[in-house]
Amino acid sequence: MTEDDPTDEISDIEDRIERLAEIAERCRKYILASKIAIGSGAALLLVTILGLFGFGQTAALGSIALVLGGVVSLGSNISTLRQTDDAINAAEARRATLIGRIDLRVVADTPMKLV
């Protein structure tokens, strides 16, 4: 390999893209869990306010904490997901640039089928 050969850097970029994709997937799971927490907390608060099951003040405070915690987690993970997606896009653009710099050659004398 020559010094101008970018294959090692391309390999490193692909590893980085894989790690970033795992982070993005984890953020999506946390976002879903946050939405579930917000919905559950809101439902519990509504049930507590209406007095349907006789839950007390502790349930009301717990449901408010659940909603607030879900909102905070949702916002944090959406922000992280956006940053991760931007990093993935930048890495993919860099990889495309490096691949474009490789001097590819056409192999015209190869047989169409191996007999």
Side-chain angles (χ1 to χ4, degrees), residues 48-85:
T48 304
I49 289 173
L50 295 177
L52 297 177
F53 294 113
F55 295 134
Q57 294 173 345
T58 305
L61 289 175
S63 64
I64 292 170
L66 193 58
V67 169
L68 292 177
V71 169
V72 169
S73 176
L74 179 68
S76 173
N77 282 292
I78 286 176
S79 174
T80 302
L81 180 60
R82 286 183 186 151
Q83 292 172 357
T84 303
D85 284 342

Side-chain angles (χ1 to χ4, degrees), residues 18-99:
E18 284 181 29
R19 286 191 311 272
L20 289 170
E22 290 172 3
I23 292 170
E25 186 59 33
R26 199 170 340 148
C27 285
R28 287 184 189 94
K29 289 177 184 177
Y30 280 117
I31 288 170
L32 178 63
S34 298
K35 289 179 181 179
I36 291 170
I38 292 168
S40 300
L44 181 60
L45 184 60
L46 182 66
V47 167
T48 304
I49 289 173
L50 295 177
L52 297 177
F53 294 113
F55 295 134
Q57 294 173 345
T58 305
L61 289 175
S63 64
I64 292 170
L66 193 58
V67 169
L68 292 177
V71 169
V72 169
S73 176
L74 179 68
S76 173
N77 282 292
I78 286 176
S79 174
T80 302
L81 180 60
R82 286 183 186 151
Q83 292 172 357
T84 303
D85 284 342
D86 291 343
I88 289 172
N89 291 336
E92 287 175 345
R94 176 70 178 148
R95 180 181 64 184
T97 301
L98 290 172
I99 290 172

